[in-house]
Each structure stands twice: as structure tokens, then as C-alpha cells.
Amino acid sequence: MLLCHGSPHQQEAFPYMLDETDVAMIIQHDCPAQPLIFVGHTHRGTTYICRDQPVLRIWEDPQTTIHILPDHRYVFNVGSVGQPRAGDWRASYGIFDTEARSFELRRAEYDVDTASEKIVRLGFPLTLSERLFLGL
């Protein structure tokens, strides 16, 4: 398995993996031997499953467990604990169970008011504070 912040392709440039085309390039050309790739960077919880073409994208439902199937390849984007971009203000993280060979995207509520106040107090742009409430 491979774990990286963003795309394993052009790591110094931090390109986003936003759609099936981006993921297909990584699976076919950059990491053909990696059956499981875990990423972040886009701040959106998403799973891409590939056996043959095309790559299938699943926007995660936090209640869904994805069972890892043999002869399939997966790219899991675990979302974001802060600065969400998926339309959900809650923290997003993933749990990969190595024994059950399953992945779950989870969401957790947190004190957004306090986090927002800290962002403003530290002098960061106001948009970073507002994003916490909107999840965008």
C-alpha cells in the first residue's frame, strides 16, 4: 500500500486528484503495483475503485463500509479533519482495517466556534474561518 499527502505523481507540485482521469493515470502509469493508495490534499472523502477501465468513483456515505476485493485497486481520499471542501463541516477521516480488509470514512463533530475563533485570532484569512461552518 502507498500513503501520501497528495498525488504520488509529481509530488513536488502537489497536483489534485479530482476525477477518474487523474486516478487512472496514477494507477496505470505511476503506481501500477500498488493495490491500495491513501491520499488527502483535496479535503474530499472519495474512493476510486478500479479493476479494468473505467475507474468508478464513489462519494462516501459515512455509513458505508467498503470491502477490499482481490484483483481490484483502490484510491482512498480520507477527507479532512480541518478546512473541509466536501460540503460537510464535520471532521473527516478514514479507518482501514487490515484484518477485515475494509475501509470506512468517518465523520466527527467538533467545536467549530472555537476553531474559527482561533483562526481569526492567529490572523489567518477570514475565508479559512468561514469555511469551517460551510464545509466548502
Side-chain angles (χ1 to χ4, degrees):
M1 90 179 62
L2 174 68
L3 295 95
C4 53
H5 174 83
S7 169
H9 178 70
Q10 299 177 327
Q11 293 178 31
E12 65 285 349
F14 286 106
Y16 286 103
M17 287 193 304
L18 297 173
D19 59 29
E20 293 84 351
T21 303
D22 298 335
V23 172
M25 180 181 64
I26 289 161
I27 287 176
Q28 293 171 356
H29 303 292
D30 298 323
C31 301
Q34 298 296 336
L36 304 173
I37 300 172
F38 295 85
V39 301
H41 193 48
T42 65
H43 296 237
R44 297 177 185 162
T46 313
T47 296
Y48 297 88
I49 304 171
C50 181
R51 180 165 184 182
D52 296 312
Q53 290 296 343
V55 173
L56 172 66
R57 175 175 47 185
I58 301 171
W59 291 97
E60 296 300 344
D61 175 347
Q63 304 302 317
T64 301
T65 299
I66 295 176
H67 297 282
I68 309 302
L69 301 172
D71 300 323
H72 287 68
R73 303 209 327 248
Y74 297 82
V75 176
F76 298 106
N77 189 319
V78 298
S80 175
V81 172
Q83 296 300 303
R85 308 282 198 285
D88 189 330
W89 63 271
R90 297 173 298 165
S92 170
Y93 61 97
I95 296 179
F96 176 59
D97 185 325
T98 57
E99 290 182 22
R101 299 207 31 90
S102 64
F103 175 81
E104 291 180 43
L105 187 75
R106 299 261 180 104
R107 299 271 182 190
E109 294 184 9
Y110 66 99
D111 185 350
V112 178
D113 291 323
T114 299
S116 175
E117 289 170 9
K118 286 181 180 180
I119 289 170
V120 171
R121 190 169 53 247
L122 290 170
F124 291 111
L126 188 57
T127 55
L128 297 178
S129 172
E130 293 169 344
R131 176 176 284 143
L132 298 182
F133 295 97
L134 302 174
L136 301 173

